[in-house]
């Protein structure tokens, strides 16, 4: 999907942390990055991509990346079958329909690339404020501890 978008738009860059090298000029693979340095990258990002191709694993999968993105002001892009994540970030993320994954992913990415900067920054500000008010340890503690106990 990203390769097709690049051929049409050429006005974005994807920064990937944790892996090196990329065959595509629009992907900037940074390799290993210390955890405390992750925020240097996410705070400069408009979006955080978590739109995984649907699988039976997705409903049980909750990644802290969504919260790292939100606290940094990057709008999370998540798949509609990531139920636990949706419960906490619904209304402050971009949802990709798991049933129409490829088509919806392309459509949403094209919409996002066509948005004006002011509009994107307003959404980022709203996500950032929501995260700072709702996605911190004291509120999420019980859920996180229960998840570790069940794992």
């Amino acid at each position: 999907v990203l390769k097709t978008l690049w051929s049409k738009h050429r006005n974005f860059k994807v920064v990937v942390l944790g892996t090196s090298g990329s065959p595509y000029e629009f992907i900037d693979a940074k390799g290993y990055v210390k955890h405390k340095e992750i925020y240097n990258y996410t705070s400069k990002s408009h979006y955080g991509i978590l739109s995984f191709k649907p699988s039976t694993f997705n409903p049980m999968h909750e990644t802290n990346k969504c919260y790292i993105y939100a606290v940094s002001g990057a709008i999370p892009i998540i798949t509609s079958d990531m139920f636990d994540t949706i419960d906490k970030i619904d209304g402050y993320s971009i949802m990709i329909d798991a049933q129409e994954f490829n088509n919806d992913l392309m459509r949403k990415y094209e919409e996002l690339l066509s948005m004006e900067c002011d509009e994107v920054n307003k959404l980022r500000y709203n996500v950032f404020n929501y995260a700072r008010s709702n996605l911190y340890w004291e509120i999420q503690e019980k859920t996180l501890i229960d998840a570790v106990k069940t794992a």
Side-chain angles (χ1 to χ4, degrees):
V1 170
L2 292 173
K3 187 176 173 184
T4 302
L5 284 172
W6 180 255
S7 67
K8 291 180 180 182
H9 297 279
R10 295 190 184 272
N11 63 342
F12 66 91
K13 177 172 68 170
V14 177
V15 176
V16 179
L17 305 180
T19 190
S20 298
S22 170
Y24 305 111
E25 64 182 294
F26 61 88
I27 295 180
D28 184 6
K30 297 294 186 186
Y32 173 78
V33 175
K34 292 180 181 177
H35 185 75
K36 66 182 181 178
E37 295 172 6
I38 290 172
Y39 296 96
N40 293 334
Y41 293 99
T42 56
S43 64
K44 296 173 189 165
S45 301
H46 291 128
Y47 306 101
I49 301 174
L50 288 168
S51 48
F52 300 113
K53 194 166 194 156
S55 76
T56 54
F57 179 68
N58 281 8
M60 298 173 281
H61 182 257
E62 182 170 18
T63 173
N64 66 342
K65 288 181 183 133
C66 182
Y67 310 114
I68 290 171
Y69 293 149
V71 168
S72 300
I75 304 163
I77 300 173
I78 60 177
T79 311
S80 65
D81 62 354
M82 297 176 71
F83 305 121
D84 288 338
T85 303
I86 292 168
D87 286 345
K88 294 175 190 73
I89 200 82
D90 192 28
Y92 296 92
S93 61
I94 307 295
M95 191 77 58
I96 304 300
D97 184 346
Q99 302 303 314
E100 294 290 325
F101 183 76
N102 289 331
N103 291 333
D104 200 37
L105 188 66
M106 179 65 82
R107 186 177 60 77
K108 293 274 174 66
Y109 282 178
E110 285 186 333
E111 285 176 18
L112 297 173
L113 288 171
S114 69
M115 290 174 71
E116 295 293 327
C117 284
D118 289 346
E119 191 177 0
V120 173
N121 287 331
K122 182 178 177 184
L123 290 173
R124 291 182 67 207
Y125 181 77
N126 290 340
V127 167
F128 177 79
N129 282 332
Y130 172 79
R132 291 295 170 118
S133 300
N134 296 282
L135 302 178
Y136 58 92
W137 177 255
E138 287 77 11
I139 287 182
Q140 302 299 326
E141 176 181 13
K142 183 181 178 339
T143 304
L144 295 170
I145 291 173
D146 289 347
V148 169
K149 286 179 181 176
T150 349

